[in-house]
Amino acid sequence: MTTATEKGEQVSAFIDNELTRENCEQLISTLNKDEALKSCFERYQMISDSIRNQLPPDIKWDFARRIMSAIESEPAVFAPTFAPTARSSSKSSSQAALTRKVAGFAIAASVATIAVVAVQTKYSEAPEQVATTMPDNSEFVRMAKENPVAANMQPVITSKPSTGYSTASTAVQQQPIAQMNPLRKFDAQLHQYIVNHSQYAAGAGVHDIISSARIASSSQQKINVDQVKQ
Amino acid sequence: MKLIVFLFSLVLFTSAGADQDIAPALSLLNKMSSALKSLNYHGTLVYTHGGQVESLKLIHKHTKSGEVQRLVHLSGEAREVIRNNDVVTCYLPDSRSVVVGERRFNNHLLSRLTKNFGDFAGQYEFIADGKGRIAERESTIVTIRPKDGFRYGYRFWIDDNSGLLLKSELLATDGSLLEQLMFIEVAVVDTIPDSMLQPAVNGESYTWHNGREKTGGQTEQTSNNWKIAHMPDGFVVTDRSKQKIPSRSQPVDYMMVSDGLASISIYIEHFNAQNNNLLGASSMGAVNVFGSLLTDYHVTVVGEVPQQTVQMIAESISSQ
């Protein structure tokens, strides 16, 4: 039996491209039946959106409130202690490994808090409230977890505090892809043809969303080779 | 004579029955096509393909001057595809490039399909296929089933209220799932702020590739006289032109063939061992690719059709 916490971790891992194919398919199937899990997915996707500054401007403030509410309702988790080197090199493998260790609700909740503060700070009308130094990560996470509302109301970090976290997350998700999909000589050329085809054929079928989806995801798709003569 | 009359009656009865079954499916597809173009909506999609699952965000706006649609990859590289009517701009941060192209299907083929169904009835069956619930919305399922092994099938979940496409499946000839696109959440809204349609990536420092540039005028257009000896029934050549491919200094000869639902691109260029072209079969998700040599030329055929279809076309190209 999969617990709610494990499901939440699966959603978090899914958004970070860290689920196996089987688990992905299982999760997608479950998402359609489980309203709570779907709600969880939507929250985490918004977290991801926020980190990437992708949120529509009209929902940013409401989003902050909703995420804070969501964090408060999540089960208590152990706030991770980050090594001093954790943010020194955003794409280092050590940081990727560190990030992986604190995956699941812990990282989702802490990233959510950071994302909220980032949004709040970026759109703050009172820049004098923004300190110029970033606090130690572990201290910040502890503070945010213990009193997220206070952290929210008094942002103490710079305007792009989530950079270290989001790039670390990106490094984690790209690493296995690079290992799984070594580029062959013709792969780059084939990708160009597939992008061109999808771009040019957009609307040729019943709908063009799928053509755009193929372009958007083609860099991560593995090209299978069945009968290559070269 | 009685037998002939009986068979004739049977044919009439069968076709009348088929028409009755087809009408609801075509009506739904028509409604979907109209809704996809004319509504303002945004939502989160899950795209399953080739063993991978990815999340995407879609924003669509209908304006007086047409449509603007933005699709953003939410994980990994922040690839974006923005379509402004027929102009499709792809922001590809991984290669620090922007590729601009122009789709050629200004008039949605679906409108042709529903108005002139006889053109396509030989290749596909259209079936209203039950109900489903996607993204908290009740929907009706339409299945489009191919009649031979040269094309894939489709299944669409169409929102009963708005007519929007909520879920789309591409099915192999054995019925197995090749690609799935599904809204996890979608909102139909009155207005979409323009800010939601701006690319998040700043493409100013990227290399821009504009495939829309006219590269040779009428002379080059008419020099593209490649012939395709064998194509599956229903496929016709819908375009001949030249396409600029980022890694190529010269535009390549291009042909598109389509049966109205599936489309296949054919690229023909002078053979050059340095070009690292594919020889043989390859696939990426539901898209199959076949590369072959034709004397001094290299042919690459790309399409969301089974491998045997791209291979048949690649091996049927000739200069006469």
Side-chain angles (χ1 to χ4, degrees):
Chain A
M1 177 69 79
T2 309
T3 66
T5 305
E6 287 168 343
K7 284 182 181 174
E9 286 174 354
Q10 279 192 333
V11 171
S12 186
F14 165 68
I15 289 171
D16 280 348
N17 272 0
E18 290 180 330
L19 275 192
T20 63
R21 175 186 177 181
E22 291 73 22
N23 286 339
C24 278
E25 288 172 356
Q26 194 178 11
L27 181 64
I28 295 298
S29 166
T30 313
L31 274 175
N32 266 330
K33 302 169 191 161
D34 188 334
E35 288 303 316
L37 193 62
K38 194 157 83 173
S39 169
C40 177
F41 174 88
E42 289 166 8
R43 285 202 308 275
Y44 286 11
Q45 194 60 69
M46 291 183 81
I47 293 165
S48 172
D49 281 5
S50 172
I51 291 167
R52 295 171 184 282
N53 277 333
Q54 296 277 330
L55 284 178
D58 53 338
I59 67 165
K60 277 181 173 158
W61 292 101
D62 182 52
F63 161 76
R65 182 183 55 75
R66 286 166 57 189
I67 289 297
M68 276 304 165
S69 164
I71 290 169
E72 286 170 349
S73 65
E74 301 285 14
V77 291
F78 173 68
T81 301
F82 284 75
T85 55
R87 64 174 190 266
S88 59
S89 171
S90 63
K91 291 190 176 178
S92 70
S93 58
S94 63
Q95 189 178 20
L98 189 63
T99 309
R100 198 179 283 119
K101 282 181 188 172
V102 294
F105 271 121
I107 194 69
S110 59
V111 167
T113 310
I114 291 163
V116 170
V117 176
V119 170
Q120 298 280 15
T121 307
K122 185 171 180 181
Y123 291 89
S124 169
E125 295 297 323
E128 64 273 14
Q129 290 183 4
V130 179
T132 54
T133 56
M134 185 170 177
D136 176 76
N137 282 347
S138 58
E139 175 62 17
F140 172 70
V141 171
R142 185 193 60 74
M143 179 187 74
K145 285 299 298 176
E146 289 177 356
N147 194 352
V149 177
N152 180 25
M153 289 171 61
Q154 296 178 332
V156 291
I157 51 180
T158 51
S159 61
K160 292 184 179 177
S162 63
T163 304
Y165 290 87
S166 58
T167 49
S169 171
T170 303
V172 170
Q173 61 191 243
Q174 289 185 346
Q175 198 174 37
I177 292 166
Q179 289 166 357
M180 284 167 49
N181 188 17
L183 286 180
R184 292 166 296 258
K185 286 193 296 185
F186 51 79
D187 279 359
Q189 183 60 35
L190 281 191
H191 276 300
Q192 289 183 2
Y193 280 140
I194 290 167
V195 167
N196 182 278
H197 163 74
S198 301
Q199 197 173 39
Y200 204 62
V206 178
H207 66 94
D208 74 331
I209 303 172
I210 197 82
S211 301
S212 296
R214 288 190 189 115
I215 297 172
S217 67
S218 67
S219 67
Q220 298 195 5
Q221 288 206 43
K222 183 179 180 184
I223 295 181
N224 299 308
V225 177
D226 306 319
Q227 308 164 4
V228 169
K229 298 172 186 171
Q230 162 180 313
Chain B
M1 184 63 187
K2 281 183 179 175
L3 180 63
I4 293 171
V5 170
F6 171 74
L7 288 175
F8 185 66
S9 311
L10 195 64
V11 168
L12 279 180
F13 177 79
T14 306
S15 57
D19 283 345
Q20 282 176 356
D21 290 337
I22 287 166
L26 290 186
S27 171
L28 281 166
L29 289 172
N30 211 21
K31 182 181 176 186
M32 179 187 89
S33 173
S34 171
L36 283 171
K37 283 188 283 190
S38 61
L39 294 180
N40 293 320
Y41 50 94
H42 60 82
T44 307
L45 292 154
V46 172
Y47 176 43
T48 312
H49 59 96
Q52 293 189 42
V53 185
E54 296 171 30
S55 49
L56 303 156
K57 182 161 66 180
L58 180 78
I59 301 140
H60 181 275
K61 181 176 187 175
H62 176 76
T63 67
K64 285 180 182 174
S65 55
E67 299 172 78
V68 185
Q69 179 171 289
R70 175 175 173 232
L71 189 109
V72 187
H73 199 258
L74 291 173
S75 308
E77 293 290 345
R79 287 187 157 206
E80 292 197 26
V81 180
I82 298 177
R83 179 173 65 78
N84 197 328
N85 288 326
D86 290 336
V87 178
V88 183
T89 307
C90 310
Y91 293 84
L92 312 173
D94 40 335
S95 58
R96 296 188 61 76
S97 61
V98 179
V99 183
V100 185
E102 188 167 12
R103 65 175 188 167
R104 284 296 177 93
F105 289 87
N106 191 18
N107 295 318
H108 218 281
L109 273 205
L110 186 65
S111 55
R112 260 183 64 198
L113 180 70
T114 48
K115 286 175 187 162
N116 195 9
F117 179 67
D119 288 354
F120 306 96
Q123 281 70 53
Y124 295 97
E125 292 176 86
F126 295 80
I127 307 152
D129 208 10
K131 307 288 284 184
R133 185 166 178 269
I134 307 290
E136 299 178 275
R137 290 163 179 263
E138 298 300 329
S139 62
T140 303
I141 304 166
V142 172
T143 298
I144 303 177
R145 190 179 297 150
K147 293 182 177 176
D148 62 25
F150 291 108
R151 56 212 102 213
Y152 291 143
Y154 306 81
R155 193 179 292 143
F156 301 120
W157 280 251
I158 300 170
D159 186 5
D160 288 344
N161 281 329
S162 68
L164 276 184
L165 175 67
L166 299 176
K167 180 178 172 182
S168 159
E169 288 184 348
L170 188 66
L171 305 168
T173 48
D174 64 358
S176 60
L177 182 65
L178 291 165
E179 272 184 336
Q180 178 184 284
L181 195 64
M182 179 174 70
F183 275 109
I184 295 290
E185 52 89 22
V186 61
V188 180
V189 294
D190 292 334
T191 57
I192 296 275
D194 287 340
S195 56
M196 286 178 75
L197 296 161
Q198 297 302 313
V201 290
N202 182 355
E204 286 180 12
S205 62
Y206 287 11
T207 306
W208 284 64
H209 304 278
N210 193 346
R212 301 171 65 216
E213 287 173 3
K214 299 299 177 190
T215 51
Q218 196 60 30
T219 308
E220 283 195 343
Q221 293 285 329
T222 53
S223 71
N224 181 351
N225 285 328
W226 301 98
K227 301 286 188 294
I228 307 169
H230 303 293
M231 283 196 289
D233 288 345
F235 279 98
V236 293
V237 176
T238 55
D239 186 41
R240 288 176 186 271
S241 60
K242 286 184 178 289
Q243 291 285 300
K244 290 188 77 176
I245 306 294
S247 64
R248 298 287 184 262
S249 57
Q250 296 296 317
V252 302
D253 282 352
Y254 177 83
M255 277 191 284
M256 176 178 281
V257 299
S258 175
D259 70 349
L261 289 175
S263 55
I264 301 169
S265 290
I266 304 164
Y267 303 90
I268 305 171
E269 59 189 316
H270 278 286
F271 176 74
N272 181 340
Q274 304 300 314
N275 279 351
N276 296 324
N277 278 319
L278 169 80
L279 289 175
S282 177
S283 63
M284 194 176 78
V287 177
N288 272 292
V289 188
F290 197 91
S292 62
L293 275 180
L294 177 66
T295 57
D296 293 338
Y297 290 89
H298 183 267
V299 178
T300 307
V301 180
V302 181
E304 57 277 6
V305 289
Q307 186 201 308
Q308 62 169 334
T309 311
V310 288
Q311 181 166 355
M312 175 198 271
I313 290 173
E315 292 176 343
S316 298
I317 305 276
S318 68
S319 56
Q320 295 297 323

